[in-house]
Amino acid sequence: GQQLNQSPQSMFIQEGEDVSMNCTSSSIFNTWLWYKQDPGEGPVLLIALYKAGELTSNGRLTAQFGITRKDSFLNISASIPSDVGIYFCAPATGAQKLVFGQGTRLTINP
Amino acid sequence: EAQVTQNPRYLITVTGKKLTVTCSQNMNHEYMSWYRQDPGLGLRQIYYSMNVEVTDKGDVPEGYKVSRKEKRNFPLILESPSPNQTSLYFCASSLVGGAGSPLHFGNGTRLTVT
């Protein structure tokens, strides 16, 4: 079966620092999605990537769809306290269900 | 307001006592799904439904049942809960399944089975 590995599992950073996390897979996907889960809430879609090599930004967030279609990364620049939460990658192929990574828990020290 | 509503938010029960977690969406979405979230394991799909009266097993369906009699509701049923079903559960819906449209999640139900 497919293997999906998200890293790091947790990050402890200072406010203002940049953050980088990634997901790698043994399978090829057509879509990579990134979700964020705020404490006590359900995940919310941050960024969607639909083409290999695509680089997409959403404010301080930047995500890339790897050229091999087996990986993706998410960067957050100049972190702020509200960036705290758990980030999930969620790749998919066509109409198949999403597969979620294990999550990266981000903690920010003010 | 467009939303997915789960109830209850918190539930403590004992082994073997049947329970139902309700889920309702007001966005006329065709696709609905249940996930459980456990530390280090991310979100794992329990069951999903592509449309009314159509349900399929996800990755971890054992010990769970679902039904989709109406488009808006997708209850999760634990006929005989066990301690290993202690977890945080999320219901989600989208216009269509897969990556075709973003998933909208409820705020979760934290279940403890003693």
Side-chain angles (χ1 to χ4, degrees), chain B residues 72-84:
Chain B
R72 64 182 293 128
N73 296 323
F74 191 45
L76 179 69
I77 303 153
L78 283 72
E79 295 270 4
S80 183
S82 61
N84 64 13

Side-chain angles (χ1 to χ4, degrees), chain A residues 9 31 33 35 37 40-45 50 86 88 90-103 105, chain B residues 9 31 35 37 40-45 48 50 57-59 88 90 97-108:
Chain A
Q9 284 198 6
T31 303
L33 307 177
Y35 283 80
Q37 181 182 21
E41 298 183 15
V44 173
L45 181 66
Y50 296 108
I86 304 175
F88 293 99
T93 300
Q96 292 180 10
K97 64 182 175 70
L98 296 180
V99 179
F100 283 86
Q102 303 94 327
R105 183 181 293 273
Chain B
R9 286 295 304 270
Y31 181 88
Y35 296 85
Q37 182 178 10
L41 297 177
L43 291 159
R44 293 181 294 168
Q45 191 177 50
Y48 65 99
M50 298 295 286
K57 295 178 180 178
D59 297 316
L88 178 59
F90 286 99
S101 58
L103 277 171
H104 296 257
F105 283 84
N107 281 335

